Amino acid sequence: MGTVGSEKTAGFSAVSRFELAEPKLENEQLKEYLDIKEKNPDFDFETAFVIGRDPNDRFYAFTIDKGSLDGISLHDPVITEDGLVGMVVEVGPTYAKVATILDVMLEISSYDSRTKDIGITTGRIDLAEEGLCQLTLLQRESGASAGDIVITSNVGGLYPKDLVIGTIREVRTESHGISLYAVIEPAVDVRTVKDVLVITSFEGQGEQVFE
């Protein structure tokens, strides 16, 4: 009897801890939402939690608990308060699938915030294994260097301007020798992220922007 009672007590404690943790997570997410909203009044958001991951996806795609019934649309950017996570690539009524910035299929117009050198942030299989991505198409004369911050440029209108992508670890020469690329450590560890914000609307969304 004592054993059964202990198991019931342990089970109740586990449930209680979960019930207490859930509001705490929601409060933290609300604070994150309000902070970003204050800095970006043109953004409309939907908060979401990660509810599933594909263990076979080498780029760490995941599923969130919000979908079209919540205003989520294909190609909506996904972020946290620290920076860009990825993009919605599949939408159901109550769920959506997110491809991360480590994915080779995503191409994000971006630039070095210090030097203003422009390029394309995308994934690369060998880098994704380490949780890294790359800024490609840098000119050989680029002054980009380790420690520089890479941010979005909004060319193409898919992402708001000036979302932080990550920090440059090193700059390398492409195998063809014509241009350079920078290895980026993302601001958000997309491999372990648990809650996100989906930007459902922002100023300049869908517009072609040329700088």
Side-chain angles (χ1 to χ4, degrees), residues 79-140:
I79 66 171
T80 72
E81 63 178 342
D82 295 319
L84 183 63
V85 172
M87 170 186 281
V88 172
V89 293
E90 181 182 328
V91 184
T94 58
Y95 75 93
K97 184 175 179 180
V98 178
T100 75
I101 58 175
L102 306 185
D103 200 313
V104 297
M105 298 301 292
L106 292 192
E107 295 185 342
I108 306 162
S109 298
S110 43
Y111 67 101
D112 183 313
S113 63
R114 181 181 64 85
T115 66
K116 310 306 180 187
D117 291 326
I118 60 174
I120 300 293
T121 295
T122 187
R124 182 165 152 167
I125 293 175
D126 59 333
L127 293 177
E129 293 175 354
E130 302 177 61
L132 307 173
C133 55
Q134 61 178 342
L135 176 64
T136 64
L137 303 180
L138 290 172
Q139 296 184 357
R140 287 188 61 85

Side-chain angles (χ1 to χ4, degrees), residues 111-115 117-119 124 127 132-150 166-175 177-185:
Y111 67 101
D112 183 313
S113 63
R114 181 181 64 85
T115 66
D117 291 326
I118 60 174
R124 182 165 152 167
L127 293 177
L132 307 173
C133 55
Q134 61 178 342
L135 176 64
T136 64
L137 303 180
L138 290 172
Q139 296 184 357
R140 287 188 61 85
E141 302 77 25
S142 169
S145 61
D148 289 355
I149 305 298
V150 178
T167 304
I168 293 177
R169 271 197 179 183
E170 61 178 304
V171 178
R172 303 172 180 171
T173 303
E174 294 279 10
S175 57
I178 297 174
S179 59
L180 306 175
Y181 73 97
V183 177
I184 301 173
E185 180 174 356

Side-chain angles (χ1 to χ4, degrees), residues 154-176:
N154 191 30
V155 173
L158 288 177
Y159 302 90
K161 188 175 181 181
D162 295 342
L163 293 178
V164 174
I165 295 174
T167 304
I168 293 177
R169 271 197 179 183
E170 61 178 304
V171 178
R172 303 172 180 171
T173 303
E174 294 279 10
S175 57
H176 50 61

